[in-house]
Amino acid sequence: MNIIKRIYKKLIYAHKSDSKSYIKYLKKHGVTIGDNVTFYEPNTNYVDTQKGFLITIGNNVEITRGVTIITHDYSWSLYKQMTGKIIGSRKKVVIGNNVFIGINTTIMPGVTIGNNVIIGANSVVTKDIPNNSVVAGNPAKYIKSVEELYKSRVTAYVEEAKEVLNEYYKKYNEVPPKEIFDEFFWIFEKRKNNNISKIFSDKMKLTGNYQKTLEAFNLSEPLFDGYDDFVKKSIKK
């Protein structure tokens, strides 16, 4: 079935059928793209290839649904109607390393995005973004540093895991399988476990740094003594 789906997507979306095909297409049209770049739903993305050499995308960049990257502004057509003159507008776009671009974000011409940057969903990026920044909005504005966001997430994600547990229990009147916590297993899964769930293992392989993630996992300590302990201490019956 997966093979049939891939063939179908290839026929319907051509070079936008998957991330690998789209990256190959963009490179062919002059876009510079580094290693470990992912377009999650390339059939929804628009990357300006009219003069693709003006776009540079670094390493470890995650590009989500509906993201648009443009280097031109055709509003000069208005001036052409008014004066008959052609006054073009074309600027480069540079995206650094280790960047996450949220759903339906638009990156405007002339923008340089630094390294270690998170851009929130539905943002319109009109100005340069410095390294280690979290930005969001229309126009996108600085929210906080990546380090500040990380510290807040370390606390928040435990409460979010508890919420997932209790909402599932409320809906189905039963304890969920632990695999549903594929984003939260860090808080309860025992370390150096040769029988770790494949779902959890696959999550550790995301973004291409599996060994670093595995090392961090084994050197850390879970907050709960296994999944049953997490359920017992967190569920609200």
Side-chain angles (χ1 to χ4, degrees):
M1 182 60 72
N2 288 335
I3 294 176
I4 295 174
K5 285 183 178 180
R6 285 198 296 269
I7 293 173
Y8 176 78
K9 287 182 70 176
K10 194 71 175 179
L11 290 172
I12 297 299
Y13 298 119
H15 62 272
K16 285 192 170 187
S17 61
D18 57 61
S19 182
K20 184 177 179 180
S21 297
Y22 193 38
I23 288 172
K24 183 177 179 180
Y25 169 85
L26 293 175
K27 286 182 175 180
K28 184 178 179 180
H29 285 76
V31 180
T32 299
I33 301 178
D35 298 326
N36 198 31
V37 173
T38 302
F39 289 85
Y40 283 94
E41 294 188 47
N43 61 298
T44 69
N45 297 133
Y46 174 77
V47 177
D48 191 348
T49 57
Q50 291 184 25
K51 291 181 174 59
F53 60 87
L54 290 173
I55 298 175
T56 298
I57 301 174
N59 302 320
N60 307 312
V61 178
E62 311 287 331
I63 300 173
T64 59
R65 178 182 179 86
V67 170
T68 296
I69 303 171
I70 53 179
T71 64
H72 75 280
D73 178 0
Y74 190 53
S75 62
W76 60 261
S77 60
L78 181 145
Y79 303 120
K80 184 176 182 296
Q81 288 293 334
M82 291 172 58
T83 68
K85 297 179 181 180
I86 296 177
I87 306 174
S89 178
R90 185 77 62 166
K91 298 177 182 179
K92 69 178 181 179
V93 171
V94 178
I95 299 173
N97 302 319
N98 199 28
V99 175
F100 175 86
I101 306 175
I103 291 173
N104 293 329
T105 289
T106 298
I107 299 174
M108 299 297 287
V111 166
T112 294
I113 297 170
N115 302 321
N116 306 316
V117 168
I118 295 173
I119 303 174
N122 298 306
S123 295
V124 178
V125 183
T126 60
K127 297 181 180 179
D128 292 352
I129 301 175
N131 295 340
N132 306 305
S133 298
V134 179
V135 304
N138 180 8
K141 295 182 179 179
Y142 179 86
I143 305 298
K144 61 179 66 176
S145 71
V146 170
E147 290 80 5
E148 289 171 328
L149 178 62
Y150 172 76
K151 290 177 182 178
S152 65
R153 292 298 305 139
V154 168
T155 301
Y157 92 122
V158 177
E159 295 306 312
E160 290 172 9
K162 293 178 181 179
E163 183 177 61
V164 171
L165 169 67
N166 284 289
E167 289 302 311
Y168 187 100
Y169 186 82
K170 186 191 303 182
K171 177 76 174 181
Y172 301 106
N173 198 33
E174 63 182 23
V175 173
K178 73 174 184 177
E179 282 74 18
I180 200 172
F181 295 93
D182 57 334
E183 296 177 88
F184 302 105
F185 70 92
W186 209 275
I187 67 176
F188 60 74
E189 190 72 358
K190 295 181 178 179
R191 276 35 175 180
K192 298 180 180 179
N193 181 359
N194 294 327
N195 296 316
I196 189 170
S197 166
K198 183 179 183 302
I199 292 177
F200 298 163
S201 180
D202 287 345
K203 214 69 172 181
M204 294 169 75
K205 293 175 183 177
L206 291 177
T207 74
N209 63 341
Y210 174 72
Q211 285 303 130
K212 182 176 182 179
T213 302
L214 181 62
E215 181 179 349
F217 179 72
N218 286 330
L219 289 175
S220 62
E221 294 291 336
L223 301 178
F224 298 90
D225 186 22
Y227 182 61
D228 291 342
D229 184 55
F230 163 66
V231 172
K232 180 180 178 181
K233 292 179 178 177
S234 306
I235 200 165
K236 300 175 182 177
K237 295 184 179 181

